[in-house]
Amino acid sequence: MHAPRALVQDSHAPLDPFGTARALDPRGGLPQPARRVDSDFSRLFPGEMLLAVETLNVDAASFRQMEDAARRAAGGAALSDEACDEAVARQVQATVLERGKQHNPVTGSGGMLLGRVLQLAPGRGEDVAAVGDRVATLVSLSLTPLRIDRVKAVRRASAQIDVDGEAVLFASGAYARLPSDMPERLALAVLDVAGAAPQVARLVERAGAAAQGRRTVVVVLGAGGKSGVLCAAEARRTGGDRVRVVGVERFAPYADDLRALGVCDAVAVADATDPVAVRSAVLEATSGVEADLVFSCVNVPDAEMSAILVTRDRGTAYFFAMSTSFTKAALGAEGVGKDIDLMIGNGFAHRHAEHSLAMMRAMPAIRALFERRYG
Ligand code: NAP
């Protein structure tokens, strides 16, 4: 039973849709860059939505970093999957305790969460959800005040962690009500990367218009993963046979899954941290043609130069991966004399949740694959 929380009333303070009242270090700043936020939910600020948290969908780059750190900490000793999961859960709990939010101090990224609405403080705009509804947040955990009371399970395949806890969403924070026609875990997995596909559609349309009859070459790095599959599928759906889609994936079983979907013209098994090998694999697949558009969807660092080396002059490399370094990309492109557009993958696009969930309804083979992996 939920005990209603008191409201902080300050008649002098303007309504704060961005949650600056919760930033503790530095005080009064924006919560995403803050080192620490206030996760005392015994009271709510105007505009906040209080949630009972059920599942955290940790960002893939962050989850991978915590796994790698746990294995490194074990030294040479082999760490069982269960021990690794426990170590990741401990790292998440420690971060949330220290920072008041799941803001990975190494990758800087967060993830999103699934929860049930407990209370809506006055001062919000029009809400599509009411108390009791189950919702997925569409803003990063790196800015979402969070308290974890208990970790119940870790599901590595989907980077999801079931917990008991609470969180608040600010008035400016996007969220989606969970659809009733698909499993919740599947919806959560898709919503985690919802920003990618709508932006692929825009960029493929734009590149197609500039191609003047030539086939647009699209390369996806990490193409067998969650966002990679959606990017490859969207490029095919938007561009039809006017695009040539090349997927690059390191993990052979995921490369096989991708081939079976039939959305790529070629799938290369290559390591995106090896730019020379990736360039050679891509050029072999395209008969020597460089890419108009490259989407980096890997969950590891050091893949910047693979994206840059395969992009054609005045083409676009789009970095969706949170493991991307701005410095490495900018200085690396300069270093190899590539005049290309480098884009940061914005997690938000208008109607991105509807767009990506609709892909699950329109593309049954991808939905079946994702249900098998994440559902
Ligand atoms: P995912 O499902 O784990 O997919 C990543 C894929 O990349 C996996 O198939 C992985 O294979 C593959 N990969 C890893 N290292 C590789 C390498 N060296 N060469 C080639 N392929 C490699 O992750 P996701 O959920 O799609 O997320 C992908 C990226 O998007 C992450 O960096 C995440 O942080 C980011 N993201 C960004 C936003 C945003 O708003 N911009 C939102 C959500 C997520 P393995 O199975 O071998 O690891």
Side-chain angles (χ1 to χ4, degrees):
M1 181 63 187
H2 160 64
R5 311 299 157 81
L7 278 177
V8 176
Q9 301 282 10
D10 180 352
S11 53
H12 301 296
L15 182 66
D16 161 29
F18 306 119
T20 55
R22 292 261 178 202
L24 295 178
D25 181 13
R27 200 169 277 280
L30 285 168
Q32 202 286 332
R35 282 177 287 279
R36 200 159 58 85
V37 299
D38 169 0
S39 57
D40 173 1
F41 305 135
S42 63
R43 79 283 190 250
L44 299 179
F45 291 90
E48 290 184 341
M49 173 189 281
L50 178 67
L51 297 165
V53 182
E54 297 171 16
T55 302
L56 304 176
N57 193 117
V58 177
D59 172 69
S62 169
F63 198 92
R64 170 58 70 93
Q65 182 278 325
M66 290 187 282
E67 278 185 308
D68 290 347
R71 294 194 193 282
R72 264 199 315 278
L79 200 62
S80 69
D81 286 349
E82 292 69 30
C84 191
D85 289 352
E86 279 170 25
V88 168
R90 276 198 302 277
Q91 288 177 74
V92 168
Q93 285 172 295
T95 299
V96 172
L97 203 59
E98 188 182 326
R99 308 195 71 171
K101 54 181 180 169
Q102 175 44 34
H103 189 173
N104 183 316
V106 179
T107 62
S109 57
M112 30 87 78
L113 63 82
L114 165 72
R116 188 166 42 82
V117 180
L118 290 178
Q119 191 172 338
L120 295 162
R124 299 181 56 77
E126 248 175 57
D127 269 307
V128 292
V131 169
D133 283 351
R134 314 208 35 251
V135 298
T137 58
L138 297 173
V139 290
S140 175
L141 288 177
S142 66
L143 62 89
T144 304
L146 171 68
R147 194 193 69 241
I148 296 177
D149 300 322
R150 188 162 74 100
V151 171
K152 299 198 286 195
V154 178
R155 288 191 299 281
R156 174 189 330 198
S158 52
Q160 292 178 354
I161 303 181
D162 292 335
V163 300
D164 284 331
E166 289 186 338
V168 298
L169 194 65
F170 306 124
S172 61
Y175 68 91
R177 267 173 60 190
L178 287 173
S180 54
D181 60 344
M182 63 185 79
E184 287 180 350
R185 288 178 187 173
L186 169 68
L188 189 61
V190 171
L191 290 171
D192 174 40
V193 293
Q199 296 177 66
V200 170
R202 286 179 198 163
L203 289 168
V204 168
E205 261 176 32
R206 201 183 301 164
Q212 298 177 322
R214 186 176 53 77
R215 267 180 108 190
T216 306
V217 176
V218 176
V219 171
V220 182
L221 305 180
K226 198 167 53 174
S227 58
V229 165
L230 291 177
C231 287
E234 187 59 80
R236 171 63 67 215
R237 179 168 76 164
T238 305
D241 57 12
R242 292 169 285 112
V243 293
R244 192 195 296 233
V245 182
V246 179
V248 176
E249 169 63 46
R250 177 181 63 176
F251 188 42
Y254 275 21
D256 289 341
D257 288 344
L258 185 62
R259 282 191 196 99
L261 290 173
V263 294
C264 292
D265 295 275
V267 175
V269 176
D271 181 349
T273 64
D274 182 345
V276 175
V278 167
R279 181 173 165 83
S280 144
V282 167
L283 293 185
E284 191 184 323
T286 62
S287 309
V289 181
E290 292 181 325
D292 298 274
L293 277 174
V294 180
F295 297 95
S296 179
C297 297
V298 296
N299 54 2
V300 293
D302 297 324
E304 295 82 0
M305 288 314 292
S306 283
I308 288 165
L309 265 199
V310 296
T311 306
R312 72 163 170 81
D313 187 53
R314 298 304 305 122
T316 299
Y318 178 98
F319 295 100
F320 193 67
M322 286 292 162
S323 44
T324 305
S325 152
F326 170 85
T327 320
K328 286 180 188 168
L331 299 180
E334 178 192 77
V336 293
K338 282 276 189 178
D339 182 0
I340 62 179
D341 292 335
L342 305 176
M343 285 185 70
I344 296 174
N346 186 347
F348 180 78
H350 292 306
R351 299 187 57 76
H352 60 334
E354 293 86 339
H355 184 119
S356 298
L357 291 173
M359 288 179 82
M360 291 301 104
R361 300 183 185 108
M363 301 175 172
I366 294 182
R367 175 174 172 158
L369 172 67
F370 279 16
E371 278 195 38
R372 176 157 61 78
R373 283 192 195 166
Y374 317 116

